[in-house]
């Protein structure tokens, strides 16, 4: 399991304060490596307990998020690329430059309908699984 997706799964099932560490692969490791913060001592230390949600609930949410994560990441990266080129559509940009960037930006917008991104070993988007449009120079 990828820790960043596991963290999202915990929050999604209502465990918003937690400590997560170690490899989680089954119910036993989930209970051993995921600790829910259930309070704070007078000295500011977290009071930890086993998760209030069972393994099946966590695993179902994790699996759901893992399936949609690649496309979510693609959209996030795509949106950054669009934001980086917003300047190209301002009124004082020459028509030739504006037109070139319009095509690039449209290709970025169309990407989610044609791409099939996958995750790399670390659980992030595998850039070799995406053919990004070429940014105008």
């Amino acid at each position: 399991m990828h820790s960043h997706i596991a963290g999202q799964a915990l929050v999604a099932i209502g465990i918003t304060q937690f400590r997560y560490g170690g490899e989680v692969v089954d119910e036993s490791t989930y209970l051993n490596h995921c600790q829910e913060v259930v309070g704070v001592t007078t000295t500011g230390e977290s009071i930890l307990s086993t998760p209030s949600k069972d393994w099946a609930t966590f695993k179902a949410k994790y699996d759901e998020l893992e399936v949609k994560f690649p496309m979510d990441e693609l959209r996030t990266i795509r949106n950054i690329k669009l934001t980086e080129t917003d300047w190209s559509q301002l009124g004082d940009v020459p028509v030739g430059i504006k037109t070139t960037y319009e095509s690039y930006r449209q290709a970025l917008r169309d990407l989610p309908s044609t791409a099939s991104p996958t995750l790399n070993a670390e659980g992030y988007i595998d850039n070799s699984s995406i053919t990004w449009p070429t940014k105008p120079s």
Side-chain angles (χ1 to χ4, degrees), residues 2-98:
H2 305 295
S3 61
H4 55 285
I5 300 173
Q8 290 178 12
L10 289 168
V11 170
I13 63 173
I15 300 176
T16 58
Q17 296 183 15
F18 56 88
R19 287 199 185 155
Y20 181 87
E23 183 68 20
V24 172
V25 295
D26 56 21
E27 183 172 11
S28 176
T29 55
Y30 168 66
L31 295 173
N32 287 329
H33 297 297
C34 178
Q35 298 176 308
E36 185 171 359
V37 177
V38 294
V40 180
T41 67
T42 57
T43 60
E45 297 294 317
S46 296
I47 300 171
L48 304 171
S49 180
T50 57
S52 59
K53 306 294 188 210
D54 64 18
W55 165 252
T57 302
F58 169 76
K59 181 72 166 91
K61 182 52 75 173
Y62 179 91
D63 290 346
E64 174 189 325
L65 293 174
E66 186 179 39
V67 167
K68 67 187 246 18
F69 190 77
M71 191 58 74
D72 289 348
E73 282 293 288
L74 177 132
R75 286 188 175 102
T76 298
I77 296 167
R78 185 267 325 255
N79 290 346
I80 291 168
K81 291 177 181 291
L82 284 168
T83 301
E84 289 172 346
T85 61
D86 280 349
W87 64 269
S88 69
Q89 303 307 297
L90 296 174
D92 62 346
V93 175
V95 173
I97 293 172
K98 185 180 279 194

Side-chain angles (χ1 to χ4, degrees), residues 89 95-105 134-137:
Q89 303 307 297
V95 173
I97 293 172
K98 185 180 279 194
T99 302
T100 302
Y101 275 92
E102 283 174 352
S103 298
Y104 169 69
R105 290 166 57 86
T134 304
K135 184 177 179 179
S137 53

